[in-house]
Amino acid sequence: MNIHEYQAKALLRSYGAPVSEGRVVLRGEEAKTAAGALDGPVWVVKAQIHAGGRGKGKFKEAGAGEKGGVRIAKSVNEAAEEAKRMLGRTLVTHQTGPAGKQVNRIYIEDGSSIARELYLALLIDRQTSRISFVCSTEGGMDIEEVAAETPEKILSFAVDPATGYMPFHGRRIAFALGLTGGQIKQCVSLMGILYRAFVEKDMEMLEINPLIVTTSGDLMVLDAKLGFDGNAVYRHPDIAELRDTSEEDPKELEASKYDLNYIALDGEIGCMVNGAGLAMATMDIIKLYGAEPANFLDVGGGATKEKVTEAFKIITSDPQVKGILVNIFGGIMRCDVIAEGVVAAVKEVGLKVPLVVRLEGTNVEKGKEIINTSGLDVIAADDLKDGAQKIVKAVKG
Amino acid sequence: MAIFVNSETRLIVQGMTGRSGTFYTDESMRYGTTCVGGVRPGKGGARHLGLPLFNTVREAVDATGANASLVIVPAPQAGAAMIEAIEAGIGTVVCVTERVPQHDMSRVKQALAGTDTVLIGPNSQGILTPEQCKIGVMPTGNAKPGHIGIASRSASLTSEILAQCSTAGLGQSTTVGIGGDTLHGVGFVECLKAFRDDPETEAVVLIGEIGGRAEEEAAAYLDSVDYGKPVVALVVGRHAPRGRRMGHAGTLSVLGGGTAADKIARLRAAGVEIAAHADDVVAAVARATAKAPQKAAAR
């Protein structure tokens, strides 16, 4: 689960991390008061969306101006104007996809004068199963690019959970980043703060990019991206409250209400599959036969008829869908339950596109009978390959 | 022979009295698994499904000589349940629970370090040695005893591949679900090592997917040894979007890498026969076996 930058900064500030003063703005008329509460002389006005690359992004609407999603202002009025220009407009970055994301919240903060930009992250390392620090002198850049082009500029190490964070960990980072004097002590303190927040709040990712050294020589958190383990949010009601559902794809949000794993894609073949691995295998084989999947959808192991019906409705609500492939290898999931769910959904919302159904496994005969006697126009398939070939043929001709 | 579990396995179930625990314990017993008891704090001395219940894993082990445990408890309790089994010295711990918090798994992995316990899962369908021992929630109707070892990151895809193999006459020595989570117990490398030492296993099928480094680690291991048995791999998620979690938490890569193309290239370079898609696994086993006839004959 992701949260906005301003929420991340407030959380880190509560742990004692050095963060600029700032105010969040939800409506244009609040902008002037928010900016006026800050000292200046420079204000930074930042669009709050759950996607990176905001500074280099572009707004779709001409009214938002030529600049990206992070703007510098020299007066309260200018800051308020920039906030108003961006609110409600659509920002496109390399992470949003071409459709972009609507900006519903703006964060106005005190500008910082930057001497150096650094990179810092904490994550759970798969190899050691421990919390790792990742740092680099190349702040403000995409860390994946740094990793690919100049891996020697990245320092990464894991912390032994038996000892927890220790000051030498912080010094190791400080010296790797070329910090000097009082910055070293600041770094040791800040790393301890971040480690504690990471553990206490069940984070899976904490990224400070950039971590800056100001012209007066102090460390400061200039941007913050926090990702929380969705499986652990149940024990952090304060974090659960920060969820902004307007940042999520409406179909994915609807699916999550029914505990369905759904991810919207750009293709034309809607898929309903049981199991994540089989769902990916189904997407791959659709592509192999020359079409594109419109979604990833795993109905899970213990789906009910109602859940299957909802899943089918979500797939058909996508106007790009030109055909549907249901691929079920029933184990825990019974084929008759799937069949009943599909039939109920089609009766409720109708069927305007070809539907191929492949059923195999537990109660397969019962499932096939339900489909065959339903009077629906369903193309039956024998196996995964046959199913993929038939739906691609039905859609592409 | 088989790997990790066989007819000698004596199973206890942590969470046996729950709804899922009851159902899958009963299924396992019907399949022929030797179940010797269950753990339910506060219910020690009572019986469930005709088996004795114990308050702690330690008591259960002392009383029954159990050497394996199925952990089938809700996610908030799963981490502690695994650690209790590890500390009680259980040889094989299988956790099928989904959605175990990552920080809990980090603690489980520290508890596991330096012990002899084999942890399978979490978020795994379990482990199956056909006609000998089932520990988990997988369907068994299509499983047949034989000589193919399977290790997989995905339960549903395993059902699909296993049925294709059995239909083609390729029975299985053991099928291991390593689980779909970021942090888990045994990986492909541990399974490959065990299958290599198992005389019953003649070829290995790895069912992989995007994210993580399980496939890259398998390739590095295969580069480092003369494996001696054909290995086939299917890697799904070639067309999954980057930066998204495709159902399994383990499919997300945080710092780049982990694409299907990378994994396939690494495995192929390590001499692994790649199944082009999910319907190509049986054919890939045939291709791999044909490439290594002299080695097969030598055994």
Side-chain angles (χ1 to χ4, degrees):
Chain A
M1 182 195 134
N2 295 321
I3 61 175
H4 288 293
E5 174 199 0
Y6 78 92
Q7 296 166 325
K9 284 182 169 172
L11 181 67
L12 294 180
R13 186 187 289 117
S14 75
Y15 273 87
V19 180
S20 296
E21 273 295 303
R23 297 282 184 277
V24 67
V25 174
L26 305 178
R27 289 177 299 142
E29 54 268 35
E30 301 164 0
K32 199 164 175 181
T33 318
L38 303 172
D39 293 338
V42 176
W43 289 257
V44 185
V45 186
K46 305 176 92 172
Q48 301 291 292
I49 56 170
H50 287 186
R54 291 171 297 168
K56 291 183 190 132
K58 282 262 177 265
F59 279 91
K60 278 191 161 174
E61 300 86 356
E66 285 293 299
K67 287 180 276 186
V70 178
R71 302 178 175 192
I72 307 293
K74 297 281 171 59
S75 69
V76 169
N77 279 338
E78 195 188 346
E81 283 314 306
E82 292 293 8
K84 285 181 197 163
R85 270 187 209 119
M86 290 193 279
L87 264 177
R89 300 263 159 67
T90 316
L91 182 58
V92 180
T93 81
H94 71 280
Q95 285 186 4
T96 60
K101 275 202 166 164
Q102 191 178 36
V103 176
N104 298 318
R105 305 177 191 205
I106 299 285
Y107 190 52
I108 306 179
E109 68 177 5
D110 274 330
S112 304
S113 45
I114 303 169
R116 295 184 65 205
E117 291 190 64
L118 310 166
Y119 177 91
L120 184 98
L122 279 92
L123 49 88
I124 299 179
D125 178 55
R126 291 181 194 241
Q127 257 160 334
T128 58
S129 301
R130 294 175 173 189
I131 295 168
S132 281
F133 280 99
V134 180
C135 70
S136 168
T137 50
E138 306 303 291
M141 289 177 57
D142 187 343
I143 194 68
E144 292 194 19
E145 262 171 52
V146 181
E149 283 158 25
T150 49
E152 70 281 1
K153 289 183 175 166
I154 296 177
L155 169 70
S156 172
F157 62 87
V159 174
D160 184 340
T163 64
Y165 172 82
M166 301 191 82
F168 77 86
H169 293 126
R171 287 196 293 274
R172 195 172 168 195
I173 292 168
F175 291 116
L177 295 179
L179 301 180
T180 54
Q183 294 161 8
I184 296 166
K185 216 170 168 182
Q186 288 182 16
C187 181
V188 169
S189 159
L190 176 58
M191 295 309 127
I193 285 168
L194 298 179
Y195 186 86
R196 190 160 72 87
F198 191 86
V199 173
E200 285 183 1
K201 296 297 180 190
D202 272 296
M203 291 183 206
E204 55 184 16
M205 175 76 176
L206 179 160
E207 191 178 46
I208 311 288
N209 189 22
L211 170 71
I212 60 160
V213 179
T214 63
T215 46
S216 48
D218 294 315
L219 279 185
M220 185 168 266
V221 173
L222 199 71
D223 196 1
K225 190 173 152 194
L226 305 184
F228 299 86
D229 180 359
N231 294 339
V233 169
Y234 73 89
R235 53 192 177 200
H236 304 290
D238 55 329
I239 301 300
E241 266 179 29
L242 301 178
R243 182 173 178 190
D244 177 2
T245 50
S246 74
E247 284 290 325
E248 297 167 38
D249 178 279
K251 291 194 293 295
E252 292 177 19
L253 187 64
E254 185 66 14
S256 74
K257 284 183 198 158
Y258 296 94
D259 204 22
L260 298 161
N261 279 312
Y262 173 93
I263 291 173
L265 303 169
D266 296 329
E268 67 272 86
I269 312 265
C271 312
M272 181 161 85
V273 188
N274 65 317
L278 191 57
M280 280 190 279
T282 305
M283 287 163 53
D284 287 354
I285 206 161
I286 286 172
K287 183 97 173 179
L288 184 76
Y289 289 114
E292 297 277 341
N295 65 277
F296 165 92
L297 174 58
D298 165 18
V299 294
T304 57
K305 177 187 155 192
E306 288 70 31
K307 207 163 137 176
V308 172
T309 305
E310 287 308 321
F312 200 83
K313 278 155 76 175
I314 290 165
I315 293 173
T316 51
S317 74
D318 179 350
Q320 287 195 64
V321 168
K322 304 280 186 291
I324 298 169
L325 173 60
V326 174
N327 180 28
I328 301 297
F329 200 106
I332 304 168
M333 186 74 238
R334 285 159 30 208
C335 292
D336 54 323
V337 173
I338 292 279
E340 281 175 3
V342 169
V343 170
V346 171
K347 286 193 173 148
E348 195 177 326
V349 296
L351 184 65
K352 297 167 196 78
V353 296
L355 169 64
V356 173
V357 177
R358 180 267 179 140
L359 294 176
E360 192 57 68
T362 310
N363 289 1
V364 58
E365 293 310 324
K366 245 167 122 180
K368 284 183 175 168
E369 198 190 312
I370 291 166
I371 299 272
N372 291 341
T373 55
S374 67
L376 300 182
D377 187 16
V378 173
I379 306 165
D382 298 326
D383 55 39
L384 176 58
K385 198 165 137 186
D386 186 42
Q389 282 171 331
K390 280 180 172 157
I391 191 63
V392 173
K393 188 163 181 289
V395 170
K396 299 258 172 179
Chain B
M1 281 293 286
I3 72 166
F4 305 141
V5 298
N6 54 37
S7 54
E8 310 286 305
T9 300
R10 295 170 66 78
L11 179 72
I12 56 164
V13 179
Q14 292 172 257
M16 186 169 77
T17 56
R19 195 160 53 113
S20 296
T22 301
F23 181 80
Y24 288 107
T25 304
D26 189 45
E27 290 263 295
S28 296
M29 287 196 287
R30 284 170 200 274
Y31 191 72
T33 307
T34 308
C35 295
V36 295
V39 178
R40 169 72 202 272
K43 287 275 166 73
R47 296 183 80 82
H48 185 65
L49 298 172
L51 299 173
L53 290 175
F54 300 91
N55 288 321
T56 66
V57 176
R58 179 76 66 179
E59 277 177 35
V61 170
D62 289 346
T64 65
N67 56 12
S69 176
L70 170 63
V71 175
I72 185 161
V73 301
Q77 284 93 50
M82 283 182 260
I83 293 173
E84 186 183 354
I86 293 163
E87 289 199 358
I90 295 266
T92 304
V93 179
V94 180
C95 182
V96 298
T97 305
E98 294 179 8
R99 302 186 179 182
V100 178
Q102 284 184 47
H103 286 257
D104 294 4
M105 266 320 289
S106 174
R107 287 176 203 113
V108 171
K109 292 284 282 184
Q110 312 313 321
L112 196 60
T115 71
D116 294 328
T117 299
V118 169
L119 173 66
I120 293 164
N123 192 10
S124 154
Q125 77 271 27
I127 178 166
L128 177 67
T129 295
E131 295 183 2
Q132 293 188 46
C133 182
K134 160 186 165 146
I135 304 179
V137 300
M138 74 291 281
T140 52
N142 290 304
K144 287 208 169 71
H147 307 289
I148 304 290
I150 300 178
S152 170
R153 290 173 65 189
S154 158
S156 57
L157 194 52
T158 307
S159 299
E160 171 83 45
I161 303 299
L162 193 133
Q164 290 175 21
C165 286
S166 291
T167 305
L170 299 173
Q172 305 89 43
S173 53
T174 300
T175 299
V176 188
I178 68 172
D181 280 354
T182 314
L183 303 184
H184 54 80
V186 294
F188 284 150
V189 174
E190 290 83 356
C191 293
L192 281 167
K193 286 180 181 167
F195 281 131
R196 188 185 185 208
D197 293 339
D198 173 32
E200 283 293 313
T201 302
E202 291 174 1
V204 180
V205 174
L206 302 177
I207 303 174
E209 60 192 31
I210 50 169
R213 296 197 45 83
E215 295 78 8
E216 287 86 339
E217 285 163 10
Y221 163 71
L222 291 170
D223 274 339
S224 72
V225 295
D226 178 14
Y227 192 70
K229 299 181 185 188
V231 180
V232 167
L234 169 69
V235 180
V236 300
R238 293 180 197 219
H239 305 294
R242 300 275 292 148
R244 296 303 304 267
R245 195 173 262 126
M246 307 304 283
H248 291 154
T251 55
L252 186 71
S253 281
V254 179
L255 282 182
T259 65
D262 285 352
K263 288 170 183 291
I264 288 167
R266 285 288 291 116
L267 287 164
R268 189 173 273 142
V272 174
E273 184 69 30
I274 301 297
H277 51 80
D279 257 6
D280 187 41
V281 174
V282 168
V285 171
R287 293 196 298 273
T289 310
K291 276 184 195 168
Q294 65 280 33
K295 281 182 185 166
R299 274 196 313 280

